[in-house]
Amino acid sequence: MNTPIDLLLTHAGQLVTCASDGPKRRDAMNDVGIIPDGAVAVQGGVIVDVGKSAVLEARYQAREVLDARGRVVMPGFVDAHTHGVYAGDRIDEFEMRIQGATYMEIMAAGGGIVSTMRAVRSASLEHLVQESRLRLDAMLAWGTTTAEVKTGYGLNTEAELKLLEAIARLDQSHPMTLVPTFLAAHAVPPEYQGRADAYVDQVVNEMIPMAAAWYKSSHFAQEERPFFCDVFCEAGVFDVAQSRRVLEAGLRAEMRPKIHADEFENLGGVSLAVELAATSVDHLDVTPAQERARLADSEVVGVVLPGVNFNLGQCHFADARGLIDAGAVVALATDMNPGSAPCPSMPMIMAIATRYQRMTPAEALNASTLNAAYAVGLGHQVGSIQPGKWADMLILDLSDYRHVAYTFGHNPIQTVIKAGQVIRDKRAR
Ligand code: NIG
Ligand code: FE
């Protein structure tokens, strides 16, 4: 036939497809859909065929052929939870924690999220974009081709809008696909100290309608891309009643719900997520068995963030093993942020998840690609190598995908392909 196409990627020793018609649960998470000596045909940035190299070589005439030379080829990582757009760092708090202060003590004393809020409020939009672009570059170098990015360091109308604008500019000028999430309810800003309900009024009555209007006039809406609303449901931050008000206001404005729940204390955020049919509920470090079962019976994706526990020097991790065994859809993410997880690397998160959460390398890979795509509302566009999805793929300097989790501190990503374009290539040609 020799159908003409843009790109034919051939001779993947392991073509790790992660293919599935929906998110994976239980035993399916142990199947990464390997095709030995696999190939992928790409046309117009989209995957049109997947199969054995010999078969696809006979079937297509490609403008460009990329020979993977026996290496692992896998879907680009989807980082389902990041706070990647901000200014400055929190290196002093890192040292305070080493000396024994806890994350929540630092936050209660006016540091933490509020300290990054100060840096963001005083940064120009251009500066925010410039600094954050470097972070996205680092994530891309570790193989992330799609990332959710939250606001939440502005904490007033003007600065939250500036963060949304920065996310939009980066999405349009950086190869990575970004999914915006509005997180004005990330912390109570100093001007509302002790008046969390009054701040929630402000979020519900002014900030969410403003964010919804911004979205409607943005390229995200024109391209029918998802837009989320999130809240930090935690003791000393926003309780369940306040979280419900925020997310219901988001729903009225057509923003899909996400929740930070059970990071330090269990307040019932998982039940709220299930009741509101949230797209995801994230952290789950202290979720009791009963609520884990409720999550498992739902479509809500449970996003676990073991880089946070690692970074905070904790020995306790979310019970990802229990969640998977109960039948929940589990995804992994970095939580990339200046306080609880300054980490751009999904392979690092897989390394932690396999060791401390007893996820297998296959489970961790599906959780970092396919299931993560469902956690950001892009399950039908990204997260696996199958016809109809965007051609977002990685060539790794490995012959067995399990090494992604087995080795750590070493970046195995050789080539990054985004929508059929080679955008990074470390390989000798
Ligand atoms: O997901 N927990 C709340 N938000 C972030 C931390 C953000 C920060 O510390 O700057 C998280 O861990
Ligand atoms: Fe977070």
Side-chain angles (χ1 to χ4, degrees), residues 131-193:
E131 234 191 85
S132 305
R133 184 185 306 284
L134 301 176
R135 258 171 244 131
L136 298 187
D137 286 346
M139 292 162 70
L140 190 77
W142 282 97
T144 298
T145 49
T146 299
E148 185 254 19
V149 183
K150 301 173 196 296
T151 69
Y153 294 121
L155 308 182
N156 65 26
T157 305
E158 182 195 342
E160 284 292 309
L161 192 58
K162 182 166 65 177
L163 285 164
L164 285 173
E165 209 43 57
I167 295 169
R169 285 202 192 178
L170 286 161
D171 180 67
Q172 289 180 300
S173 61
H174 194 278
M176 201 183 290
T177 297
L178 303 183
V179 178
T181 294
F182 190 63
L183 178 60
H186 194 194
V188 178
E191 53 275 25
Y192 281 92
Q193 206 186 352

Side-chain angles (χ1 to χ4, degrees), residues 42 44-47 75-76 145-146 176-178 223 225-226 378 380-393 417-420:
V42 178
V46 173
I47 297 167
T145 49
T146 299
M176 201 183 290
T177 297
L178 303 183
E223 296 172 17
R225 307 253 301 271
L378 289 177
H380 297 291
Q381 284 83 15
V382 299
S384 60
I385 298 178
Q386 58 191 113
K389 289 202 178 182
W390 302 342
D392 295 357
M393 300 180 285
I417 301 159
K418 176 70 195 175

Side-chain angles (χ1 to χ4, degrees), residues 81-83 150 183 186 230 260 263 283 305 335 337 340:
H81 180 141
T82 89
H83 306 250
K150 301 173 196 296
L183 178 60
H186 194 194
D230 195 348
H260 283 68
E263 181 174 356
H283 283 287
L305 306 161
D335 200 4
N337 75 72
S340 69

Side-chain angles (χ1 to χ4, degrees), residues 289-304:
Q290 197 194 8
E291 278 194 279
R292 289 204 300 270
R294 207 166 287 159
L295 180 61
D297 282 340
S298 77
E299 306 292 313
V300 183
V301 181
V303 180
V304 296

